[in-house]
Amino acid sequence: MATTRMLGSTLLLILLSTVVSELCNPQDKKVLLQIKKDLNNPYLLASWNPSTDCCKWYTVTCDPKTHRINSLTIFSSVPDTNFSAQIPPSVGLLPYLETLEFHKLPKLTGPLQPAIAKLTNLKFLRISWTNLSGPVPTFLARLTNLTFLDLSFNNLTGPIPEALSQLSNLDALHLDRNHLTGSIPPSFGSFKSNPDIFLSHNNLSGPIPASLGNLNLTQVDLSRNKLVGDASALFGLNKTVQIVDLSRNELSFNLSNVEFPASLTSLDLNHNKVYGKLPVGLTALNLQYLNVSYNRLCGEIPMGGELQSFDVYSYLHNKCLCGSPLPSCTSSSL
């Protein structure tokens, strides 16, 4: 009899310890299990076992004080044959999320779910390297706590919403490697946080808005689009920009009088229609990368700084550019 009571007490203690160790909020756990079901129970979520504490599940983290789910990062380095689904609308039922990531999931399809707009505590949103389609939705502008927005390497189409400039805390915007069309919104010049802007490998057209000159960007990549006109507003002695990639567009402006900030370390203008001369001011910069090939530049490459440290391929195929590392200038080439 005593042995039976002892066994019963032991089982009770085991059950109680299991309950005590379950830190995950029951509603959050229910939502996560629904997300797993909606994603067709992929192998990469195998740790999502209903009998275990969801705060210990792979790809999930909980707030150490409230134990509410604050991060959901679902990604895979190997294609998952069972992972063929859309983003579950149920992700909008995790109100304490600060980080949401779906990354390298080639069978994730469909549009961005409007339910994401409910996640007003989000700071980090990455949905990249998927087969996500449809437009970049305007409702993203409601996520005013976002500091990082990455929708790169998808199949998104249509224009870039002007409303994204309302994201006043944004540090980085990645919309590169999609099929976006239309122009860069002039409203981007009103970003309050000077985010790094990556819009490369799209089908954007029209001019670079002069309003971008209002910003003090650190990095900007607008390469491989169909942009035209003047890009000089991105530069200036008072700027702090470090990396600028405008390559493979149809930009046409006079480089001769452009003033570059001392912070600039990388400049790529290749395959455009930029004309004029290389400014002497470039010699004062600590450039680590420079490519002005395939343009319409003329005159002698200024001596000094890092300009002679780059090989001929940084300067080839210009109208009449000459001087080291290109062949020496002659009277006919100046």
Side-chain angles (χ1 to χ4, degrees), residues 35-168:
I35 290 172
K36 180 181 179 181
K37 180 181 178 182
D38 292 342
L39 293 175
N40 298 318
N41 299 305
Y43 176 75
L44 60 88
L45 300 183
S47 69
W48 291 21
N49 187 328
S51 64
T52 59
D53 182 1
C54 72
C55 285
K56 298 178 181 178
W57 290 354
Y58 180 63
T59 78
V60 170
T61 60
C62 292
D63 183 274
K65 294 182 180 179
T66 66
H67 309 300
R68 300 302 299 262
I69 302 297
N70 63 5
S71 176
L72 175 60
T73 58
I74 300 177
F75 58 91
S76 177
S77 57
V78 179
D80 191 330
T81 55
N82 294 321
F83 204 118
S84 180
Q86 296 191 17
I87 297 172
S90 45
V91 297
L93 300 177
L94 295 171
Y96 293 88
L97 272 187
E98 295 182 5
T99 296
L100 176 61
E101 180 173 2
F102 292 92
H103 182 57
K104 289 194 174 180
L105 303 171
K107 292 188 178 181
L108 191 68
T109 61
L112 270 163
Q113 288 290 345
I116 291 175
K118 299 178 184 178
L119 303 175
T120 54
N121 287 308
L122 269 187
K123 296 179 181 178
F124 184 104
L125 175 60
R126 169 181 279 155
I127 303 174
S128 60
W129 293 82
T130 75
N131 266 311
L132 207 68
S133 58
V136 178
T138 302
F139 66 67
L140 292 174
R142 298 184 220 162
L143 304 176
T144 54
N145 287 309
L146 278 182
T147 60
F148 185 89
L149 175 57
D150 183 359
L151 301 178
S152 62
F153 289 87
N154 292 300
N155 288 312
L156 299 174
T157 56
I160 300 173
E162 293 201 13
L164 292 184
S165 62
Q166 298 170 21
L167 297 172
S168 57

Side-chain angles (χ1 to χ4, degrees), residues 213 215-217 232-242 256-264 279-285:
L215 302 180
N216 223 342
L217 304 170
S232 57
L234 298 173
F235 306 104
L237 295 178
N238 61 334
K239 303 287 187 181
T240 57
V241 67
Q242 297 175 13
S256 306
N257 298 317
V258 175
E259 295 182 314
F260 294 99
S263 56
L264 191 66
V280 174
L282 287 171
T283 62
L285 306 182

Side-chain angles (χ1 to χ4, degrees), residues 171-185:
D171 293 328
L173 173 64
H174 292 259
L175 298 178
D176 44 307
R177 306 252 179 187
N178 282 286
H179 305 288
L180 302 176
T181 54
S183 58
I184 300 172

